[in-house]
Amino acid sequence: MPKAHWTKAGAATIAYLLLVHITWGQQSQIKGKIAHIEEHSFPVIHLMAAADSGMVKATVCEIDGSFTFDRLNKGLYFISVREMGYQPYNSNVISLPDSAVEFNLPDIFLTRTSQEIKEVQVRSIRPFVQRKIDRIIVDPSALISNSGSTVLDVLQKAPGVMVDNNDNISMKGKPGVMVFIDDKPTYLASSDLANYLRSLPSDAVESVELISNPPARYDAAGNAGIINIRLKKNATKGINGGINLSYGQGKYARTNNSLNINYRINKFNFFANIGLNQNNSYQDLTINRYYYNTEGAYKSGFKQNSYIKRNMGGANARVGMDYYMSDRSVAGITLAGFYNPQKSTITNYADIQNAYDQTEMLIQSLSPSDRRWKNGAVNANYSLKLDNKGREITANADYITYNSKQGQSLENRSYSPAGQFLEKSLLRSSLPSDIVILSAKVDYSHPIAGIGKIDAGAKFSNVKTNNDAQFFDVVNGISTPNNEFSNKFRYKENIGAGYVNYSKEWKKFSLQLGLRLEHTQAEGHQLGNTQAKDSSFHFQYTSLFPTLFLLYKADSALNHQFGFAFGRRIERPDYQDLNPFTYPMDRYTFYAGNPFLQPTFSYNLELSYTYKNAITTTFEYGIAHNLIQETNEQRGTIYYSRPGNFGRQQMYGFSLNGSLPIVRWWTLQLYAECKNVSLNTTIYGQPLVEARWFGHIGPVNQFLISEKWSAEIGGFYQTAVLSGQFLTIPVWQAHAGLAYRMWKGQGTIKLNLSDIFYTNQPGGDIRNIAQSKANWLSYLDTRVATLSFSYRFNKGKGLQARQTGASDTEKGRVR
């Protein structure tokens, strides 16, 4: 579709949705006030259904005791108030008609209990996982083992999420996950994303949302869906926050520390999250490669051991302000950024063997690197409530920059089998890169009494990247440009999108139906040199992405709920993956880009059953075309690793997720899945037609020992998994933790030990490579003892946090 045509059509659609039904009937309100409320006392008010006493909504009263329930349908309700030190209060039944009304309750006077009692702390085990109609919400603080860890560690414990040894994140067995921070994409891919998540302390996270079939308001990017990480922020009157300190010791030390603070005064709300971290680790990687002639006879072998030591530190900050211009309008600004220096040293020892397994040459390589990776971001946002019935407009704009400066060298030394020095080579490089992202979006919400709610919106994003890789051969201290590997690459991309979403809730049935349109234009240009020719590419495409969610509540007690979800998704190539240049990872392994990558399109379907709002069983089916994954090709003695398209992947199976109270003091959190993965494609002339089942089970046992003490024992087991050309080996691990609460629950000390038996060590086979095969095994710094301390302070009343951010996918594609 031509850009001008699309823009006009999108504008007309949004204008129509903003105006349609604007005078239609609206839903009702119930208002009330608790009289003579004590200072620092903010009772919770529940709106109950009169028919079965089921809770409909809940809220916390304002500082003057007032409260409001809006967007209510016809029905019979009553108000219930429960506050420690006061007798329970239930109002008379309130009858709301079809037409919109504003029902004002008489002042509520709470009666103190006749006998003063000592302060009682009611404690229960916090649910690690909660199920919603279109997502799973994970509470990281519910697990002791998450304390003092990083966000990447949290994701590895989240149900259905897996992180492989190359830091690729998959969800429910499917690659292509988009990771968001506060509804904004991280714009990072692979190792950069993993390093950023390692720099975020887990204690700075409020929740993690796992959205395998995102609604139409979210960008359509992400074959496996979206992981949305919500950082701690709430708009509270007064001041509140927390500090978290931790020290961990594996083979190397690590520390993750954070401070989050919130201050609300009059019409202003100020908030900040600051983190400091140092995460040192290692990887002991062994790779074996075997080469064959055209007749299939073994002719030579390659055995390599790489010891990779990483020193990763850094700081991240997020500060912002919301200005409550009126009761209906709020404007805000957020500044965020990180600085992550990383030094690593890779020491390789390779043994080149002949057909008789005799050593023909020994290779020793040393590759140190020093990288400075930083980011800055500005978000401006505005929301306007057009009335008290739920009509609302929100607008967001983002400006984001990434800058990376990396220097590294690769020194190779060759020796005879007897250890005699033969030759030496030295390759040095400077690898700067810059990314600039601009995005803006507007969303409109319009409830229609008796009909449902319509949401609509539009978004535009612009991305520009600039890479300038300079390589030099160094001989006798003299540097000469290496034009085989040197490269300059420019890329820019524009995406325009519009969506409409309809939702409706009945007594037993809920419906959500959406349609999103996205138009993509992109072009790349690799500048040539004396050895490489100029090359460029350009493409554009327009796609529709439907979504459908259904939920049926078989009874008012929510003992039986049935759900259905369907959606179409896209995964666009990472920006750097489209760069056609090649660079060496070591003497025998090269990484290459692929300008011919096609986007992945997938269809995902889920059928679920939830029992007593605690245990959910889900049947899942997904099919992906042109799946983007790592490929491996052998050319002579060089292995080339590059992203490629796999023709078709199909996946189906079952998962179970639940919280099971065994006894009053013991709760079992459990996630398990069993899936079949099949591939049908051809990679570098080699057919790959295969189907395999895999299984994963992850129990976590939580124990309430006493009022102050709690404990946790958990782990997981995962069978072999088929992932493109890779077939991983089974892995498992166990972890344990202990927590002590002090200072009336405001302070907590936690001690946990991860991978107790040192068994979570990945490995596997690399298959379907012409005239060769390979396998690998990694030992990682996974057994870590961590001691952490957290302190929470809170003086004020919580209000609803605002969600901001215009960027919905682009961050997940930065390398």
Side-chain angles (χ1 to χ4, degrees), residues 54 81 175 262 299 426 429 483 505 594 651 676 694 754 760 764:
V81 183
N262 214 86
K299 67 176 185 179
L426 178 60
S429 61
N483 289 320
E505 288 193 14
N594 184 355
M651 180 178 294
N676 180 277
F694 77 87
S754 63
N760 186 18

Side-chain angles (χ1 to χ4, degrees), residues 720-737:
V721 177
L722 175 64
S723 178
Q725 290 177 276
F726 298 88
L727 181 64
T728 65
I729 62 174
V731 292
W732 68 279
Q733 78 154 17
H735 68 262

Side-chain angles (χ1 to χ4, degrees), residues 710-757:
S710 59
E712 174 186 311
I713 299 176
F716 74 84
Y717 173 80
Q718 180 177 294
T719 66
V721 177
L722 175 64
S723 178
Q725 290 177 276
F726 298 88
L727 181 64
T728 65
I729 62 174
V731 292
W732 68 279
Q733 78 154 17
H735 68 262
L738 188 66
Y740 175 73
R741 292 160 53 94
M742 61 181 66
W743 302 331
K744 297 182 179 180
Q746 290 182 292
T748 306
I749 296 177
K750 297 180 181 179
L751 176 65
N752 67 77
L753 179 63
S754 63
D755 198 8
I756 298 173
F757 302 102

Side-chain angles (χ1 to χ4, degrees), residues 113-166:
T113 53
S114 58
Q115 182 179 2
E116 293 291 336
I117 60 174
K118 294 182 180 180
E119 179 181 0
V120 176
Q121 287 189 342
V122 179
R123 294 195 59 208
S124 62
I125 293 178
R126 300 179 65 175
F128 178 51
V129 172
Q130 297 181 60
R131 177 89 186 192
K132 302 295 182 182
I133 185 173
D134 58 0
R135 69 196 64 195
I136 291 174
I137 301 177
V138 177
D139 180 0
S141 64
L143 297 187
I144 297 173
S145 56
N146 281 334
S147 182
S149 64
T150 69
V151 173
L152 190 65
D153 298 323
V154 171
L155 291 186
Q156 290 175 310
K157 297 187 184 76
V161 178
M162 289 179 277
V163 183
D164 67 17
N165 62 302
N166 291 320

Side-chain angles (χ1 to χ4, degrees), residues 181-182 196 199-206 229-234 240-244 257-263 269-276 315-321 334-338 792:
I181 303 291
D182 288 331
Y196 173 54
S199 74
L200 288 177
S202 61
D203 292 307
V205 176
E206 183 69 33
I229 300 166
R230 295 196 179 277
L231 301 179
K232 290 179 178 176
K233 173 202 169 184
N234 54 46
N240 70 92
I243 186 170
N244 304 277
N257 311 289
S258 66
L259 168 69
N260 64 86
I261 191 167
N262 214 86
Y263 179 55
N269 181 68
F270 302 92
F271 55 89
N273 295 89
I274 300 172
L276 295 172
N316 59 82
R318 176 176 172 270
V319 298
M321 178 193 74
T334 302
L335 308 178
F338 64 76
R792 302 284 183 271

Side-chain angles (χ1 to χ4, degrees), residues 570-698:
I570 183 175
E571 181 187 0
R572 297 178 179 89
D574 293 335
Y575 308 126
Q576 186 64 23
D577 285 346
L578 294 167
N579 188 346
F581 89 109
T582 300
Y583 69 88
M585 302 172 70
D586 57 54
R587 182 169 178 173
Y588 296 96
T589 306
F590 287 5
Y591 174 83
N594 184 355
F596 303 107
L597 278 176
Q598 298 295 312
T600 300
F601 288 94
S602 63
Y603 294 89
N604 303 288
L605 181 148
E606 295 182 0
L607 292 170
S608 65
Y609 166 67
T610 301
Y611 176 67
K612 289 191 175 180
N613 221 24
I615 303 174
T616 298
T617 303
T618 305
F619 169 77
E620 301 161 16
Y621 174 81
I623 185 167
H625 297 279
N626 288 324
L627 181 70
I628 300 174
Q629 282 194 310
E630 180 186 350
T631 68
N632 288 269
E633 180 188 21
Q634 178 72 31
R635 292 185 185 177
T637 60
I638 305 298
Y639 251 61
Y640 286 87
S641 173
R642 64 169 66 87
N645 288 115
F646 288 72
R648 189 187 71 172
Q649 176 186 268
Q650 181 178 264
M651 180 178 294
Y652 61 87
F654 294 88
S655 65
L656 183 145
N657 181 32
S659 178
L660 306 173
I662 308 300
V663 292
R664 183 185 62 82
W665 48 269
W666 176 12
T667 298
L668 172 64
Q669 311 276 358
L670 178 65
Y671 178 81
E673 63 179 334
C674 184
K675 304 281 179 63
N676 180 277
V677 181
S678 63
L679 290 166
N680 190 339
T681 189
T682 300
I683 299 294
Y684 305 116
Q686 301 298 304
L688 177 53
V689 181
E690 188 173 2
R692 283 181 178 263
W693 286 90
F694 77 87
H696 177 99
I697 184 169

Side-chain angles (χ1 to χ4, degrees), residues 101 130 339 344 364:
V101 298
Q130 297 181 60
Y339 174 68
S344 65
Q364 180 180 341

Side-chain angles (χ1 to χ4, degrees), residues 209-223:
E209 298 176 344
L210 310 177
I211 316 174
S212 56
N213 264 317
R217 70 178 297 267
Y218 287 94
D219 289 10
N223 168 52

